[in-house]
Amino acid sequence: MFNNGNNNARNDKFARLKAIASGQSAPVVESSFPEIWKHEVGKPLIGIILGFSSFEHERFGLQETVIVELENGQRVSAILNNYLSNGMQIQCAEPGDLVSIRLLGKEKSTNGSVYNKFELVVQKEQ
């Protein structure tokens, strides 16, 4: 239970922390936050929904996200605009479902504003 003065790095459970504190070693930073997925034409997001989250953006307010595990095991977070958020609700998306989000490009609305047009497909877990 106690170290009994043994400073051998193999037996000292604090050795790594002591080395970092003394500057002899650099801490390994492993972020628990997934990488942000960037919407790009021709690069769809395809994977398994792990969950949903949100964060407060200083300029744009509350932003909803979906956390997705890609085929290669990488985890990414995609910001959901109103269309994607509503589509997730309409298709009853939930963790374990497969999802594909594809940016189709820019479109012009009837009032003249330009927006990103997406295709969203949620495939329910069978």
Side-chain angles (χ1 to χ4, degrees), residues 7 10 20 28-29 33 40 42 44 56 78 91 94-95 102-103 107-108 111 114 122 125:
N7 288 327
R10 180 181 229 172
I20 291 168
V28 176
V29 179
F33 298 108
E40 295 180 46
E56 190 70 31
Q91 295 185 50
E94 55 191 6
R102 187 166 63 119
L103 176 61
E107 291 280 325
K108 188 179 270 189
N111 69 3
V114 177
V122 174
E125 182 182 29

Side-chain angles (χ1 to χ4, degrees), residues 50-83:
L50 298 178
F52 298 89
S53 188
S54 63
F55 66 95
E56 190 70 31
H57 188 278
E58 61 187 39
R59 182 174 169 202
F60 300 111
L62 184 66
Q63 300 293 300
E64 294 182 10
T65 64
V66 61
I67 312 301
V68 176
E69 182 175 323
L70 307 178
E71 190 174 16
N72 66 7
Q74 179 186 9
R75 294 175 180 207
V76 297
S77 175
I79 295 174
L80 301 174
N81 65 8
N82 286 339
Y83 173 82

Side-chain angles (χ1 to χ4, degrees), residues 49 87-88 91-94 97-100 120-124:
I49 297 174
M88 292 281 187
Q91 295 185 50
C92 300
E94 55 191 6
D97 292 343
L98 301 177
V99 66
S100 170
L120 171 66
V121 177
V122 174
Q123 183 177 311
K124 301 302 284 177

Side-chain angles (χ1 to χ4, degrees), residues 107-116:
E107 291 280 325
K108 188 179 270 189
S109 69
T110 54
N111 69 3
S113 61
V114 177
Y115 64 96
N116 287 326

